[in-house]
Amino acid sequence: MQTQVEILKGKKTNVYGYYDGMLGKTFVVNKGDIINLRFTNSLQQATNIHWHGLIIPPEMDGFPSHVTGPGGTFKYQFSINQRAGTYWYHPHPDGLTAEQVMKGLAGFFIIRDEEEAALKLPTGDSEIAFVIQDRRFKNSGDFDYAPTDEEIMTGFFGDYILVNGAYSPYKDVKAGWNRLRIINGSNARLYNLAFSNEQEFFVIGSDAGLLTVPESVKNILLSPGERVDLLVDFTQEVNKEIFLQSETFNGGGVQGKDAFRIMKFKAGPKTNETFTLPNTLSAITKINPSSATKIRTFDISNASMHGEKKMSMDQKEKNKMKMGMHTINGIAYDANVINETITAGATEIWEFDNSKGDEIHPMHFHGNHFQFLERIGGRGKLIATEKGWKDTVLLMPGEKVKVITAFSQFKGKYVLHCHNLEHEDSGMMLNFEIV
Ligand code: C2O
Ligand code: CU
Ligand code: CU
């Protein structure tokens, strides 16, 4: 629904939410559960819900043209047959996704399973889920979202970083081990997450659940749509303040040049910590590349229509064409076209080629998880979050990435798109049908 909340002191912001506030309730479900949800659209525009990272039938997945109009209702019904992980939900209507997410539509969908439960990871007050989003505000207090042509090219960036809808928040944490599940729910901004005390932390999971082993890092890059599940030990930080911040990073033009703070943690008094970091987390069977029956290449090097291509259009053409400012394989999104046809159950290698590109593209597809095979060019090696099951993969300019997936048996239409939401809404999406 649409409502008003106070984000900046003394100001009211009109927001959308999946209940009476910004964002949505956090679902916590178990593998094997059956989900039954009645969704009513009380907005003035059409919308739908996409369950990002869930492997569910296409009719339930929020296909861009499968929307519920103002006042309409829809029943989302699906069962949970996938591993534990930090998944999420947000709208996906053709051309309106960026704006609706910006106004506040997003929420957590956490799945638990027995394999994870056996690890006895920190829980209760020590299991913290938060979504990071950047926003721009008008003087009135409302979100300022009116991307220019230039901002559709780069993606839209805000100068206020919100965490779970709050600006500059702080959280009391245990002076011991804490588990943080983080979504980058921003339209376009990347975060290179680190703690202000420069301490190491352990990546234990990414988009689609646990890694095989914890990976020690001091920072982790998270692009829009991606999730990280991490453990951090604040035993040495008794009664101290620690900031979660974004460090500078390379490879992203001007985007990564400034460090900034995201939120503050305040560690409590000394505790009797009994948790010890497990040596192994999850059994992940590697998909054998030789089992792939097809390799598809998606060219995203020329995803944006700038430079010569854009110059050759007249102003009138440009104005009417937000759709078409971005493409995959040179084609802008059309909800009625099937771009790729895939056999149910087939194993395929998908190659995303940004080797000649100059933009950042976090590529994501619905209805399946994938494993990373390799990154060629740019940053080269994989980062910690890329060593488990994924649904979103970051391509910096100059990079080419190969992933492998075994498609599900659910037949029907899903989408592949850039999770930079301005890119997505301006055409950087395609349909694939499982037959
Ligand atoms: Cu979170 Cu199709 O996206
Ligand atoms: Cu998704
Ligand atoms: Cu993109």
Side-chain angles (χ1 to χ4, degrees):
M1 59 185 282
Q2 186 159 0
T3 183
Q4 280 192 332
V5 296
E6 183 177 313
I7 299 171
L8 303 181
K9 247 205 161 58
K11 299 210 169 170
K12 288 272 182 287
T13 309
N14 285 290
V15 296
Y16 292 170
Y18 287 112
Y19 69 125
D20 55 350
M22 190 176 154
L23 302 171
K25 291 231 149 59
T26 294
F27 292 89
V28 182
V29 309
N30 290 308
K31 184 174 178 179
D33 283 359
I34 294 170
I35 309 299
N36 259 298
L37 285 166
R38 191 185 163 84
F39 165 65
T40 305
N41 179 9
S42 56
L43 305 180
Q44 312 298 320
Q45 53 187 199
T47 188
N48 61 9
I49 304 181
H50 165 57
W51 308 92
H52 183 133
L54 297 200
I55 301 174
I56 55 175
E59 315 81 72
M60 295 295 144
D61 191 56
F63 188 78
S65 61
H66 183 202
V67 293
T68 301
T73 62
F74 185 77
K75 274 195 188 139
Y76 286 97
Q77 295 178 310
F78 47 84
S79 50
I80 304 297
N81 290 310
Q82 64 187 74
R83 61 204 306 261
T86 308
Y87 306 98
W88 63 303
Y89 62 100
H90 61 77
H92 224 293
D94 196 4
L96 290 173
T97 299
E99 182 190 332
Q100 292 185 357
V101 172
M102 175 64 59
K103 287 192 172 157
L105 293 179
F108 277 87
F109 196 98
I110 289 173
I111 300 179
R112 301 194 188 282
D113 67 11
E114 281 167 14
E115 184 192 42
E116 187 194 71
L119 295 171
K120 302 220 181 328
L121 298 170
T123 188
D125 291 341
S126 300
E127 183 184 7
I128 306 159
F130 54 87
V131 52
I132 306 174
Q133 300 175 302
D134 58 337
R135 293 292 181 267
R136 215 179 277 173
F137 287 89
K138 296 180 188 164
N139 278 336
S140 66
D142 268 329
F143 291 139
D144 182 3
Y145 184 68
T148 60
D149 270 15
E150 207 37 57
E151 286 167 339
I152 290 171
M153 285 303 165
T154 55
F156 186 84
F157 294 89
D159 40 8
Y160 286 78
I161 310 296
L162 308 189
V163 176
N164 289 347
Y167 175 58
S168 191
Y170 104 89
K171 173 119 190 103
D172 288 310
V173 289
K174 185 171 78 168
W177 285 95
N178 292 278
R179 178 183 189 182
L180 311 183
R181 299 172 182 264
I182 306 174
I183 299 175
N184 181 352
S186 306
N187 283 29
R189 187 181 288 283
L190 272 55
Y191 303 92
N192 190 13
L193 301 172
F195 294 98
S196 53
N197 59 358
E198 295 178 24
Q199 80 173 84
E200 71 168 349
F201 55 94
F202 298 87
V203 175
I204 58 166
S206 58
D207 300 344
L210 296 171
L211 308 183
T212 53
V213 292
E215 283 249 0
S216 162
V217 297
K218 285 200 163 176
N219 56 278
I220 193 80
L221 194 62
L222 202 65
S223 67
E226 284 188 298
R227 286 85 74 204
V228 62
D229 193 345
L230 62 90
L231 292 174
V232 57
D233 182 6
F234 289 143
T235 307
Q236 304 303 318
E237 305 302 316
V238 172
N239 297 325
K240 284 190 198 146
E241 287 179 356
I242 314 110
F243 288 90
L244 178 71
Q245 54 196 39
S246 180
E247 296 292 337
T248 57
F249 56 89
N250 291 325
V254 294
Q255 211 208 121
K257 80 179 194 333
D258 295 315
F260 53 87
R261 285 177 170 176
I262 296 169
M263 75 179 292
K264 181 163 91 180
F265 292 107
K266 184 142 190 310
K270 190 171 174 348
T271 55
N272 259 332
E273 183 57 90
T274 53
F275 178 77
T276 50
L277 188 69
N279 292 323
T280 60
L281 298 165
S282 175
I284 294 179
T285 313
K286 282 234 187 287
I287 308 176
N288 185 346
S290 66
S291 65
T293 50
K294 195 162 176 91
I295 300 176
R296 292 178 208 255
T297 301
F298 300 97
D299 175 20
I300 54 170
S301 279
N302 300 302
S304 91
M305 191 184 289
H306 51 194
E308 277 168 49
K309 215 148 126 211
K310 200 174 177 205
M311 293 298 285
S312 70
M313 295 173 78
D314 66 26
Q315 193 55 44
K316 214 171 73 210
E317 250 177 315
K318 275 191 242 173
N319 289 345
K320 72 165 197 275
M321 278 194 60
K322 176 179 111 172
M323 190 57 82
M325 285 174 70
H326 283 91
T327 57
I328 300 173
N329 288 338
I331 302 166
Y333 186 64
D334 179 342
N336 299 311
V337 168
I338 302 298
N339 304 87
E340 306 285 336
T341 304
I342 290 147
T343 310
T347 297
E348 299 200 353
I349 292 173
W350 284 17
E351 195 174 277
F352 299 103
D353 187 354
N354 197 27
S355 53
K356 294 186 216 60
D358 55 7
E359 289 182 341
I360 299 170
H361 301 294
M363 300 303 291
H364 164 59
F365 58 94
H366 292 197
N368 278 277
H369 300 152
F370 55 77
Q371 292 176 353
F372 223 108
L373 291 177
E374 61 176 331
R375 170 179 279 117
I376 302 155
R379 292 168 296 155
K381 62 183 191 328
L382 310 190
I383 65 171
T385 44
E386 293 170 340
K387 297 178 183 175
W389 286 98
K390 297 280 293 167
D391 59 45
T392 307
V393 55
L394 173 62
L395 285 109
M396 285 292 193
E399 293 181 356
K400 187 158 133 183
V401 147
K402 287 183 193 173
V403 303
I404 188 164
T405 183
F407 283 89
S408 78
Q409 297 293 339
F410 293 126
K411 294 185 176 156
K413 289 187 291 180
Y414 294 99
V415 289
L416 154 70
H417 62 88
C418 179
H419 221 289
N420 175 316
L421 298 182
E422 284 70 41
H423 292 184
E424 179 202 341
D425 276 357
S426 63
M428 197 166 176
M429 177 152 68
L430 60 73
N431 296 325
F432 64 92
E433 183 170 16
I434 302 184
V435 296

